Amino acid sequence: MLMFPCEVVAADRALQFQRGWFAHPIFKNGDYPDAMKWQVGNKSELQGLPETRLPSFTEEEKNLIKGTADMFCINHYTTKIVSHLTARLTPPSYKYDMDVSEEEEADSPTTAISNQRAVAWGLRRLLNWIKEEYGDPEIYVTENGVATDIKPQLMTLTESSTPKRSAHYYYHVMKDNGFPLPDDEKILYGQFPKTFNWSTASAAFQIEGSWRAHGKGLSIWDKFAHTPSRVDNSDNGDIACDSYNKIDMDVEVLKKLKVTLYHWDLPLALQKLGGWENETIVQRFRDYADVLFSRFGSRVKFWITLNEPYIVANLGYGYGTFAPGIVGKQYIAAHNLIKAHAEAWHLYNDKYRATQGGLISITINSDWVEPRNLYKQEDVDAAERYLQFFIGWFAHPIFNGDYPELMKTIIRKRSLAAGLPESRLPEFTPDKIKRINGTHDYFGFNHYTTVLSYPVDLGKQQDYEGDRGTGTTHDRTWIESGSSWLKITPFGFRKILKFIKDEYGNPPVYVTENGISERGEVTLNDIHRTHYYENYINQALKATLLDGVDLRGYTAWSLMDNFEWAAGYSERFGLFYVNRSNPTLPRIPKKSASRYSSIITCNGFPDPWTP
Ligand code: NOJ
């Protein structure tokens, strides 16, 4: 922010009119602040009045007033941005006497009271101002708080007098007498096992471009991106990062290739037959896998069948915000995705494993979740539903057998209650349950963020949202990223890795994606990404060394800024910046690239104090 001297004087004047009006006589010299006397005196004269409208104290009164406080008590709620203004003369008023105009501090969160933003930094400035102005008095903040208007929460409160989350938070601040760095945020020095695998990821559609080269057919994402209003800024993947032509250069920085069979770009021809809604896709996916397994042969030792089936099903066939943009069909799409994965795994296991000796599994993604109010059972239950409807939906059939009980029970009950003859969640036959269960060589896991959960009753709404009955929100203190859904919450990474260990039989885990976006102004000094990787990877180290999670590898998403699906190129996840205004699309390393590389070289965080 640029500050001009007259604005600084205006800000001080505003403070003198508000705090100084009462504080100055008591804490300084028994009289009003000079700035007030000057302003009101001049204005009064300009208004043709015989004397100033500000009453004056006698010397005796001043002596009486001065020093009549043992401490400085301050009530504080908000901060405004002021600028100098020549205010009108009539009618005479306190407000016009100040000669300032006021604005809200637009970067801070709004509250339920209009014009009263919660400007945390303002309290610090104010305390410093009081210290400087009144000679370092003992200060007591006697009021400070925020108004909210979350109605459902208030209704529950009147019913049961449950403390809000903020009550517990404040209790902890008092108990800890401040903000000691919680143990889970302290850095753990140590290293990953020697065989640990480090990598970076990107995906074909997001970087390749050359959408029509050499007879390539259309995919559902080509169509989606060429449909108006589907992708931000009308971006598309036609050129993307041009990796199709720059393959030699891009591959040079990578040592070993891992291959994902399906990262969302389904051939449009298959979509015309119903895509993932049509059961025949299971056999087609198996045929396609057969082609890749035989062509790549033993050069590929690490296969991922499907990337993030949750997103394919829920965003592509549920909410319709991703290609192919279909709504309300997520359960059947998920059902076929799970079966397709299992068939590809069996194919590899039966026909290729012995000669090629690679690993094959699926990559499942999930947020971690905490109850919005840790002490409220409804929020705790909502968190459990959130997890089972997210990670459990795909992991349970593959690692434990069949859908999670919680999902089966809720969806059946709600379907029957709405008069349907059977559950909207498709059933696996006992044979299918067996065939799917165990189709994994490792747990492929993508993770980015944590949410807070609370119950939501959507009445009879017959869909995934209604079934899950869980709303989500974020903690205001969590640092933001370039994506609205992604807040920096490293602690959740460790917790969900432990959850995977406990819930799915301690499988070997490969983190196949983790990273953070930025948007807007480009800076190569991406400190928030560096901070993100340091903290998330350190939590992964804690999961490994302290919780005994069998973590075998970690992958940063993404190697370079690329086509972030419906957000186009506006959200940038890369360790390398791709300059899109230069037609050669150069890749330029950001600062996080060198930090990530040093973490890899050190295989973690060796103790700097150990010789
Ligand atoms: C998940 C997806 O696999 C990837 O394609 C996407 O770009 C990142 N997460 C970031 O949202």
Side-chain angles (χ1 to χ4, degrees):
M1 194 192 328
L2 264 185
M3 290 225 241
F4 297 100
C6 72
E7 311 295 23
V8 177
V9 174
D12 193 68
R13 197 160 63 237
L15 283 166
Q16 294 295 359
F17 265 77
Q18 290 167 18
R19 305 282 121 54
W21 189 6
F22 298 93
H24 198 277
I26 297 168
F27 290 89
K28 289 200 104 161
N29 59 2
D31 201 359
Y32 294 118
D34 288 346
M36 257 190 113
K37 291 200 290 188
W38 173 255
Q39 286 289 123
V40 185
N42 291 339
K43 291 268 175 183
S44 304
E45 201 172 335
L46 289 166
Q47 285 155 348
L49 299 174
E51 60 176 16
T52 176
R53 279 177 285 108
L54 189 70
S56 54
F57 293 118
T58 64
E59 285 312 308
E60 198 188 341
E61 284 170 334
K62 286 184 196 164
N63 284 331
L64 192 74
I65 294 166
K66 191 177 149 191
T68 54
D70 295 344
M71 69 277 185
F72 198 112
C73 298
I74 177 87
N75 291 359
H76 176 76
Y77 290 89
T78 192
T79 291
K80 298 280 170 52
I81 305 296
V82 298
S83 18
H84 172 76
L85 166 95
T86 305
R88 40 199 275 202
L89 287 173
T90 51
S93 87
Y94 164 83
K95 194 173 159 216
Y96 300 146
D97 286 342
M98 250 187 276
D99 271 348
V100 297
S101 70
E102 266 187 12
E103 274 168 53
E104 286 184 48
E105 203 283 286
D107 291 338
S108 295
T110 52
T111 68
I113 300 178
S114 66
N115 276 322
Q116 204 175 94
R117 300 219 179 208
V119 191
W121 59 263
L123 177 57
R124 178 176 178 188
R125 295 266 189 109
L126 178 63
L127 294 173
N128 276 283
W129 188 84
I130 293 171
K131 175 183 174 203
E132 296 303 323
E133 187 70 14
Y134 303 116
D136 203 4
E138 266 183 33
I139 305 176
Y140 288 80
V141 176
T142 38
E143 270 187 34
N144 178 234
V146 66
T148 53
D149 56 2
I150 313 163
K151 296 207 175 68
Q153 173 88 338
L154 283 178
M155 274 159 50
T156 350
L157 270 180
T158 41
E159 282 156 22
S160 62
S161 301
T162 315
K164 296 185 197 171
R165 186 179 161 88
S166 54
H168 297 287
Y169 185 77
Y170 185 48
Y171 165 76
H172 281 291
V173 174
M174 290 193 286
K175 188 160 100 16
D176 298 339
N177 200 21
F179 305 86
L181 198 58
D183 275 349
D184 66 0
E185 281 178 29
K186 283 187 192 138
I187 186 113
L188 173 74
Y189 292 117
Q191 286 172 296
F192 288 93
K194 289 211 165 53
T195 51
F196 200 75
N197 285 274
W198 295 97
S199 26
T200 61
S202 56
F205 189 84
Q206 295 179 270
I207 60 167
E208 274 176 6
S210 298
W211 70 308
R212 313 256 39 197
H214 302 123
K216 175 190 162 290
L218 294 173
S219 79
I220 54 173
W221 270 97
D222 289 318
K223 170 137 191 248
F224 199 73
H226 282 267
T227 307
S229 314
R230 290 303 208 163
V231 175
D232 289 358
N233 310 313
S234 299
D235 287 339
N236 57 50
D238 298 2
I239 301 174
C241 305
D242 199 25
S243 291
Y244 188 75
N245 294 309
K246 295 182 187 303
I247 182 154
D248 294 340
M249 177 179 146
D250 287 347
V251 168
E252 208 172 289
V253 289
L254 309 167
K255 290 200 180 124
K256 271 188 246 159
L257 276 186
K258 297 176 178 160
V259 174
T260 307
L261 298 180
Y262 183 69
H263 198 127
W264 308 355
D265 44 353
L266 187 73
L268 194 57
L270 289 181
Q271 188 54 46
K272 290 191 177 142
L273 304 171
W276 289 105
E277 278 182 74
N278 183 339
E279 221 253 322
T280 59
I281 200 165
V282 175
Q283 180 59 33
R284 289 176 194 276
F285 186 70
R286 186 183 181 282
D287 295 345
Y288 160 68
D290 207 359
V291 173
L292 295 199
F293 295 152
S294 61
R295 294 284 170 87
F296 282 99
S298 51
R299 280 170 295 178
V300 173
K301 296 288 189 215
F302 193 94
W303 296 95
I304 300 172
T305 53
L306 304 173
N307 173 67
E308 300 195 353
Y310 173 90
I311 300 290
V312 178
N314 223 16
L315 273 63
Y317 290 80
Y319 305 132
T321 48
F322 274 22
I326 287 166
V327 175
K329 299 287 185 207
Q330 58 269 69
Y331 290 136
I332 185 66
H335 209 62
N336 290 327
L337 282 157
I338 295 167
K339 288 196 275 187
H341 152 77
E343 288 314 313
W345 185 90
H346 279 293
L347 173 69
Y348 189 82
N349 196 46
D350 299 344
K351 188 167 161 193
Y352 295 99
R353 187 188 295 283
T355 50
Q356 299 190 1
L359 295 176
I360 179 163
S361 200
I362 186 170
T363 277
I364 293 171
N365 67 305
S366 185
D367 300 341
W368 177 243
V369 58
E370 294 279 340
R372 180 171 68 180
N373 184 338
L374 270 175
Y375 303 90
K376 221 170 149 185
Q377 192 56 40
E378 299 100 281
D379 291 358
V380 176
D381 295 344
E384 178 63 12
R385 286 196 301 278
Y386 187 82
L387 276 183
Q388 294 301 343
F389 274 75
F390 201 148
I391 191 169
W393 189 7
F394 298 92
H396 205 277
I398 296 167
F399 289 83
N400 297 348
D402 207 358
Y403 291 119
E405 277 311 315
L406 188 81
M407 268 187 101
K408 290 198 292 184
T409 315
I410 294 178
I411 303 173
R412 163 171 297 277
K413 204 167 142 209
R414 293 187 81 254
S415 303
L416 301 186
L420 299 175
E422 59 183 5
S423 175
R424 279 172 291 104
L425 184 70
E427 267 179 31
F428 292 119
T429 61
D431 280 352
K432 263 285 172 275
I433 294 176
K434 266 205 219 135
R435 184 152 177 86
I436 294 166
N437 190 4
T439 55
H440 55 84
D441 295 350
Y442 60 87
F443 195 113
F445 184 52
N446 289 0
H447 176 78
Y448 288 86
T449 199
T450 293
V451 296
L452 301 176
S453 61
Y454 56 93
V456 170
D457 185 353
L458 295 177
K460 291 214 159 100
Q461 193 173 306
Q462 292 296 296
D463 62 10
Y464 174 90
E465 283 288 306
D467 297 335
R468 191 182 63 175
T470 300
T472 60
T473 182
H474 299 108
D475 189 307
R476 276 186 175 187
T477 62
W478 294 347
I479 303 172
E480 303 193 334
S481 71
S483 313
S484 55
W485 53 271
L486 202 175
K487 314 287 174 196
I488 304 185
T489 48
F491 62 89
F493 193 24
R494 175 177 175 188
K495 290 195 180 179
I496 196 158
L497 287 170
K498 175 74 165 43
F499 176 89
I500 291 172
K501 174 187 174 191
D502 296 343
E503 191 85 1
Y504 305 116
N506 194 15
V509 180
Y510 285 82
V511 170
T512 41
E513 276 186 34
N514 177 241
I516 184 176
S517 59
E518 78 238 341
R519 62 161 64 227
E521 204 183 318
V522 172
T523 167
L524 295 178
N525 184 15
D526 56 340
I527 37 176
H528 68 300
R529 179 169 293 102
T530 309
H531 163 265
Y532 182 99
Y533 280 129
E534 280 172 351
N535 285 276
Y536 272 69
I537 297 173
N538 199 255
Q539 293 290 346
L541 183 70
K542 288 177 187 168
T544 310
L545 301 185
L546 307 182
D547 305 335
V549 173
D550 186 3
L551 187 64
R552 305 278 179 99
Y554 174 90
T555 312
W557 180 274
S558 179
L559 180 59
M560 64 185 107
D561 294 341
N562 59 45
F563 180 77
E564 178 53 18
W565 308 110
Y569 297 97
S570 58
E571 296 175 13
R572 305 184 304 269
F573 280 81
L575 290 162
F576 284 67
Y577 163 60
V578 177
N579 184 354
R580 307 199 66 78
S581 44
N582 178 336
T584 67
L585 299 172
R587 288 90 161 107
I588 305 157
K590 303 180 193 174
K591 197 161 179 194
S592 55
S594 69
R595 181 64 185 116
Y596 184 48
S597 137
S598 75
I599 294 175
I600 296 177
T601 311
C602 298
N603 200 28
F605 305 83
D607 189 341
W609 309 112
T610 310

